[in-house]
Amino acid sequence: MKIKVLFISVSLMFIAACADQGYEKEDTAAILNGEEITYEDILWQYSLTANIEDTVIGYLKQEIVILEAQDMGIVVSDEEVEENKRLLFPGSGVSERYQKLEDKQFYEEQASLLGVSPEDYYEVWEEKAYRSQAYMNKYIEKNFGTPAEGDDGEAWGQQINDHIDQLFHDYIESGELIIN
């Protein structure tokens, strides 16, 4: 009897948690250049607990910049990604880097949502995050350079944000991006 009550309680908590999400992992969040992007794709990098719409839009903007970078011939090698992963902890592997994290809550929560171990989630997250960031950095550097000493960093940053916003709207208008 206790097991049955426990099972029902756990089931109700799971159903309530899923209902609060407002999405199912396998649901399509958007279609970008004919490729389906699911909420699960986004969960591998970002939490969808705060503001789902803003997070989805931020993810899509990132993906658009990566596409634009690739169209420009920008390449991010596996070696570059691995080098960046090890900058903070030289000579370390995934396990060592994960263990050295002070706050693992994000990785634990995401892993739970995706049904993997926190360390496995961290490994995929780390790869995606560093690769995406490398593409973003190279794209920005190629298109905007780096602010010179004495330049208004805020204005430079705003110019980049405006550019990315325009790309986002261009993709929507052209039909290359469809948000569900």
Short mmCIF file of all heavy atoms in Angstrom, two decimals, residues 117-150:
data_model
loop_
_atom_site.label_atom_id
_atom_site.label_comp_id
_atom_site.label_asym_id
_atom_site.label_seq_id
_atom_site.Cartn_x
_atom_site.Cartn_y
_atom_site.Cartn_z
N SER A 117 23.33 11.47 -16.55
CA SER A 117 24.07 11.82 -15.33
C SER A 117 24.55 13.26 -15.43
O SER A 117 24.75 13.78 -16.54
CB SER A 117 25.27 10.89 -15.15
OG SER A 117 26.29 11.22 -16.08
N PRO A 118 24.73 13.94 -14.31
CA PRO A 118 25.23 15.32 -14.35
C PRO A 118 26.57 15.45 -15.08
O PRO A 118 26.78 16.40 -15.82
CB PRO A 118 25.37 15.70 -12.87
CG PRO A 118 24.35 14.85 -12.19
CD PRO A 118 24.37 13.54 -12.93
N GLU A 119 27.44 14.49 -14.90
CA GLU A 119 28.74 14.56 -15.58
C GLU A 119 28.57 14.39 -17.10
O GLU A 119 29.24 15.07 -17.88
CB GLU A 119 29.70 13.52 -15.02
CG GLU A 119 31.12 13.75 -15.48
CD GLU A 119 32.12 12.86 -14.77
OE1 GLU A 119 32.17 12.90 -13.53
OE2 GLU A 119 32.83 12.12 -15.47
N ASP A 120 27.69 13.49 -17.52
CA ASP A 120 27.42 13.33 -18.95
C ASP A 120 26.80 14.60 -19.53
O ASP A 120 27.14 15.02 -20.63
CB ASP A 120 26.50 12.15 -19.22
CG ASP A 120 27.19 10.80 -19.03
OD1 ASP A 120 28.44 10.76 -19.00
OD2 ASP A 120 26.47 9.80 -18.89
N TYR A 121 25.88 15.20 -18.78
CA TYR A 121 25.29 16.46 -19.23
C TYR A 121 26.38 17.52 -19.37
O TYR A 121 26.46 18.22 -20.38
CB TYR A 121 24.21 16.97 -18.28
CG TYR A 121 23.72 18.33 -18.70
CD1 TYR A 121 22.79 18.46 -19.74
CD2 TYR A 121 24.25 19.50 -18.15
CE1 TYR A 121 22.40 19.71 -20.19
CE2 TYR A 121 23.86 20.74 -18.59
CZ TYR A 121 22.93 20.84 -19.61
OH TYR A 121 22.56 22.09 -20.06
N TYR A 122 27.23 17.63 -18.35
CA TYR A 122 28.31 18.63 -18.37
C TYR A 122 29.21 18.45 -19.59
O TYR A 122 29.60 19.43 -20.24
CB TYR A 122 29.13 18.56 -17.09
CG TYR A 122 30.28 19.53 -17.08
CD1 TYR A 122 30.06 20.88 -16.84
CD2 TYR A 122 31.58 19.10 -17.34
CE1 TYR A 122 31.11 21.79 -16.86
CE2 TYR A 122 32.62 20.01 -17.36
CZ TYR A 122 32.39 21.35 -17.13
OH TYR A 122 33.42 22.24 -17.16
N GLU A 123 29.52 17.21 -19.93
CA GLU A 123 30.39 16.94 -21.07
C GLU A 123 29.77 17.48 -22.37
O GLU A 123 30.44 18.15 -23.16
CB GLU A 123 30.67 15.45 -21.19
CG GLU A 123 31.58 15.10 -22.34
CD GLU A 123 31.94 13.63 -22.39
OE1 GLU A 123 31.28 12.81 -21.69
OE2 GLU A 123 32.87 13.29 -23.13
N VAL A 124 28.48 17.22 -22.58
CA VAL A 124 27.81 17.70 -23.79
C VAL A 124 27.66 19.22 -23.73
O VAL A 124 27.91 19.93 -24.70
CB VAL A 124 26.43 17.02 -23.96
CG1 VAL A 124 25.66 17.63 -25.12
CG2 VAL A 124 26.61 15.51 -24.15
N TRP A 125 27.24 19.73 -22.55
CA TRP A 125 27.09 21.18 -22.39
C TRP A 125 28.39 21.90 -22.70
O TRP A 125 28.42 22.90 -23.41
CB TRP A 125 26.64 21.50 -20.96
CG TRP A 125 26.64 22.97 -20.70
CD1 TRP A 125 25.62 23.85 -20.95
CD2 TRP A 125 27.73 23.76 -20.21
NE1 TRP A 125 26.01 25.13 -20.63
CE2 TRP A 125 27.30 25.10 -20.18
CE3 TRP A 125 29.03 23.45 -19.80
CZ2 TRP A 125 28.11 26.13 -19.75
CZ3 TRP A 125 29.84 24.48 -19.37
CH2 TRP A 125 29.38 25.81 -19.34
N GLU A 126 29.47 21.39 -22.13
CA GLU A 126 30.78 22.03 -22.30
C GLU A 126 31.16 22.09 -23.78
O GLU A 126 31.60 23.14 -24.27
CB GLU A 126 31.82 21.24 -21.50
CG GLU A 126 33.18 21.85 -21.45
CD GLU A 126 34.16 21.00 -20.66
OE1 GLU A 126 34.24 19.78 -20.90
OE2 GLU A 126 34.84 21.57 -19.80
N GLU A 127 30.98 21.01 -24.49
CA GLU A 127 31.30 20.97 -25.93
C GLU A 127 30.47 21.99 -26.68
O GLU A 127 30.99 22.78 -27.47
CB GLU A 127 31.05 19.56 -26.48
CG GLU A 127 31.20 19.44 -27.97
CD GLU A 127 32.62 19.64 -28.48
OE1 GLU A 127 33.58 19.38 -27.73
OE2 GLU A 127 32.75 20.07 -29.64
N LYS A 128 29.17 21.99 -26.45
CA LYS A 128 28.27 22.91 -27.16
C LYS A 128 28.57 24.37 -26.79
O LYS A 128 28.62 25.24 -27.66
CB LYS A 128 26.81 22.58 -26.87
CG LYS A 128 26.34 21.29 -27.51
CD LYS A 128 24.90 20.99 -27.15
CE LYS A 128 24.41 19.74 -27.80
NZ LYS A 128 24.26 19.87 -29.24
N ALA A 129 28.76 24.63 -25.52
CA ALA A 129 28.99 26.00 -25.07
C ALA A 129 30.29 26.57 -25.62
O ALA A 129 30.31 27.70 -26.13
CB ALA A 129 28.98 26.05 -23.54
N TYR A 130 31.37 25.81 -25.54
CA TYR A 130 32.65 26.31 -26.03
C TYR A 130 32.68 26.44 -27.54
O TYR A 130 33.26 27.39 -28.07
CB TYR A 130 33.80 25.42 -25.53
CG TYR A 130 34.17 25.72 -24.10
CD1 TYR A 130 33.68 24.93 -23.06
CD2 TYR A 130 35.00 26.79 -23.79
CE1 TYR A 130 34.01 25.21 -21.74
CE2 TYR A 130 35.34 27.07 -22.47
CZ TYR A 130 34.84 26.28 -21.45
OH TYR A 130 35.16 26.57 -20.15
N ARG A 131 32.05 25.52 -28.25
CA ARG A 131 32.02 25.60 -29.71
C ARG A 131 31.18 26.80 -30.14
O ARG A 131 31.59 27.58 -31.00
CB ARG A 131 31.47 24.30 -30.31
CG ARG A 131 31.57 24.28 -31.84
CD ARG A 131 31.29 22.90 -32.41
NE ARG A 131 32.19 21.88 -31.92
CZ ARG A 131 33.42 21.65 -32.40
NH1 ARG A 131 33.89 22.40 -33.38
NH2 ARG A 131 34.16 20.68 -31.91
N SER A 132 30.01 26.98 -29.54
CA SER A 132 29.15 28.11 -29.87
C SER A 132 29.85 29.43 -29.59
O SER A 132 29.81 30.35 -30.40
CB SER A 132 27.85 28.05 -29.06
OG SER A 132 27.13 26.90 -29.37
N GLN A 133 30.49 29.50 -28.43
CA GLN A 133 31.18 30.74 -28.06
C GLN A 133 32.32 31.05 -29.01
O GLN A 133 32.54 32.20 -29.37
CB GLN A 133 31.70 30.66 -26.62
CG GLN A 133 32.17 31.99 -26.10
CD GLN A 133 31.07 33.05 -26.12
OE1 GLN A 133 30.00 32.84 -25.58
NE2 GLN A 133 31.33 34.17 -26.74
N ALA A 134 33.03 30.03 -29.46
CA ALA A 134 34.13 30.24 -30.40
C ALA A 134 33.60 30.79 -31.72
O ALA A 134 34.19 31.73 -32.29
CB ALA A 134 34.91 28.95 -30.62
N TYR A 135 32.50 30.24 -32.21
CA TYR A 135 31.89 30.76 -33.44
C TYR A 135 31.44 32.20 -33.25
O TYR A 135 31.67 33.05 -34.11
CB TYR A 135 30.70 29.91 -33.88
CG TYR A 135 31.09 28.76 -34.78
CD1 TYR A 135 30.99 27.45 -34.34
CD2 TYR A 135 31.53 28.98 -36.08
CE1 TYR A 135 31.34 26.39 -35.17
CE2 TYR A 135 31.88 27.93 -36.91
CZ TYR A 135 31.79 26.64 -36.45
OH TYR A 135 32.14 25.60 -37.26
N MET A 136 30.79 32.47 -32.13
CA MET A 136 30.32 33.83 -31.85
C MET A 136 31.50 34.81 -31.81
O MET A 136 31.44 35.88 -32.44
CB MET A 136 29.56 33.89 -30.52
CG MET A 136 28.32 33.04 -30.43
SD MET A 136 26.91 33.72 -31.28
CE MET A 136 26.50 35.08 -30.23
N ASN A 137 32.55 34.45 -31.11
CA ASN A 137 33.71 35.33 -30.99
C ASN A 137 34.35 35.61 -32.35
O ASN A 137 34.68 36.75 -32.66
CB ASN A 137 34.74 34.74 -30.03
CG ASN A 137 34.29 34.75 -28.60
OD1 ASN A 137 33.35 35.45 -28.22
ND2 ASN A 137 34.94 33.94 -27.78
N LYS A 138 34.52 34.56 -33.14
CA LYS A 138 35.15 34.73 -34.45
C LYS A 138 34.27 35.58 -35.38
O LYS A 138 34.78 36.41 -36.14
CB LYS A 138 35.45 33.38 -35.09
CG LYS A 138 36.61 32.66 -34.47
CD LYS A 138 36.89 31.36 -35.20
CE LYS A 138 38.16 30.71 -34.70
NZ LYS A 138 38.58 29.58 -35.56
N TYR A 139 32.96 35.36 -35.31
CA TYR A 139 32.04 36.13 -36.14
C TYR A 139 32.10 37.61 -35.76
O TYR A 139 32.18 38.49 -36.62
CB TYR A 139 30.62 35.59 -35.98
CG TYR A 139 29.59 36.34 -36.79
CD1 TYR A 139 29.38 36.02 -38.13
CD2 TYR A 139 28.85 37.38 -36.23
CE1 TYR A 139 28.45 36.72 -38.89
CE2 TYR A 139 27.92 38.08 -36.99
CZ TYR A 139 27.71 37.73 -38.31
OH TYR A 139 26.80 38.43 -39.06
N ILE A 140 32.05 37.88 -34.49
CA ILE A 140 32.09 39.27 -34.01
C ILE A 140 33.42 39.92 -34.38
O ILE A 140 33.44 41.05 -34.87
CB ILE A 140 31.82 39.33 -32.49
CG1 ILE A 140 30.35 38.98 -32.22
CG2 ILE A 140 32.18 40.69 -31.92
CD1 ILE A 140 30.02 38.72 -30.76
N GLU A 141 34.50 39.21 -34.18
CA GLU A 141 35.81 39.77 -34.50
C GLU A 141 35.93 40.07 -35.99
O GLU A 141 36.44 41.13 -36.38
CB GLU A 141 36.92 38.82 -34.06
CG GLU A 141 38.30 39.43 -34.22
CD GLU A 141 39.40 38.56 -33.65
OE1 GLU A 141 39.15 37.83 -32.67
OE2 GLU A 141 40.50 38.60 -34.21
N LYS A 142 35.43 39.15 -36.81
CA LYS A 142 35.53 39.35 -38.26
C LYS A 142 34.66 40.52 -38.73
O LYS A 142 35.03 41.26 -39.63
CB LYS A 142 35.15 38.08 -39.00
CG LYS A 142 35.42 38.14 -40.48
CD LYS A 142 35.40 36.78 -41.11
CE LYS A 142 35.89 36.89 -42.55
NZ LYS A 142 36.25 35.61 -43.09
N ASN A 143 33.51 40.70 -38.13
CA ASN A 143 32.57 41.73 -38.56
C ASN A 143 32.72 43.06 -37.84
O ASN A 143 32.36 44.10 -38.39
CB ASN A 143 31.13 41.23 -38.42
CG ASN A 143 30.78 40.23 -39.47
OD1 ASN A 143 30.64 40.57 -40.64
ND2 ASN A 143 30.67 38.97 -39.09
N PHE A 144 33.21 43.02 -36.62
CA PHE A 144 33.25 44.24 -35.81
C PHE A 144 34.63 44.55 -35.23
O PHE A 144 34.80 45.57 -34.59
CB PHE A 144 32.23 44.16 -34.66
CG PHE A 144 30.83 43.99 -35.14
CD1 PHE A 144 30.25 42.74 -35.26
CD2 PHE A 144 30.08 45.10 -35.52
CE1 PHE A 144 28.95 42.58 -35.73
CE2 PHE A 144 28.78 44.95 -35.98
CZ PHE A 144 28.22 43.68 -36.09
N GLY A 145 35.57 43.64 -35.44
CA GLY A 145 36.88 43.83 -34.85
C GLY A 145 36.80 43.78 -33.34
O GLY A 145 35.90 43.18 -32.77
N THR A 146 37.74 44.41 -32.71
CA THR A 146 37.71 44.52 -31.25
C THR A 146 37.74 46.01 -30.93
O THR A 146 38.34 46.79 -31.66
CB THR A 146 38.91 43.81 -30.60
OG1 THR A 146 40.12 44.32 -31.18
CG2 THR A 146 38.85 42.31 -30.80
N PRO A 147 37.10 46.41 -29.86
CA PRO A 147 37.10 47.84 -29.56
C PRO A 147 38.52 48.32 -29.23
O PRO A 147 39.24 47.66 -28.49
CB PRO A 147 36.17 47.97 -28.35
CG PRO A 147 36.09 46.60 -27.78
CD PRO A 147 36.39 45.63 -28.87
N ALA A 148 38.88 49.40 -29.84
CA ALA A 148 40.20 49.98 -29.57
C ALA A 148 40.15 50.70 -28.23
O ALA A 148 39.08 51.07 -27.74
CB ALA A 148 40.56 50.96 -30.68
N GLU A 149 41.32 50.89 -27.66
CA GLU A 149 41.40 51.61 -26.39
C GLU A 149 40.80 53.00 -26.59
O GLU A 149 41.07 53.68 -27.58
CB GLU A 149 42.85 51.72 -25.92
CG GLU A 149 42.96 52.14 -24.49
CD GLU A 149 44.38 52.04 -23.97
OE1 GLU A 149 45.01 50.99 -24.20
OE2 GLU A 149 44.83 53.01 -23.36
N GLY A 150 39.95 53.37 -25.70
CA GLY A 150 39.30 54.68 -25.80
C GLY A 150 37.95 54.62 -26.51
O GLY A 150 37.18 55.55 -26.45
#
